[in-house]
Amino acid sequence: MQSLDFFILGAVLGLFVFYKISQYYKSKKQQIKITLAKRAESAAGRLLQKTGYRIIDTQKRVQVKTKIDGELFRNTIIADFLVKKNGKTFLVEVKTGKQTEKLTSPSIRRQLLEYFLVFRPDGLILLDMTEKKLHQVEFELENRFGPPWALFLRYTIFFLLGVLTTWAYVYF
């Protein structure tokens, strides 16, 4: 074997070792994140109980079916906590670390809106475990068509106008 062969073999072996070490560190980093998240959720449960909430469920899962161009997709939506207080049910989303830097970020807003539409709780709570602070979250969704009775009224008026026009056409 020539020195170029040894160089190529060493480079390939070095890349392989580098890849394995980086995979190991990524795995360790992920394990640490999971451990910290579990600790934060455990502490969040204690904080919720301390502030008067009764925990109904943790890691509540709901299956959601989505059809795109006729093809069915199944997804699972997982809520951190479902709690009760004063007869009302609240969904609690726990955030830690960098996630708490911008609680109004689009990704958090979308996640909470998804929870609101899927679980239909009486309220949403965003729990910042970095600051140990509960944030009440509310969505005011505007109905483009107005209240449901307004749409019914609109259809009724158009129906009656149609009947009146037909009657006037037939009898006059």
Side-chain angles (χ1 to χ4, degrees), residues 18 38 57 63 69 74 78 84 99 101 104 126-127:
F18 176 77
K38 284 182 181 179
D57 207 344
Q63 292 288 329
D69 295 330
R74 296 176 193 272
I78 305 170
K84 268 196 180 259
Q99 295 176 319
E101 290 175 3
T104 59
L126 185 58
L127 178 48

Side-chain angles (χ1 to χ4, degrees), residues 3 27 72:
S3 60
S27 171
L72 183 66

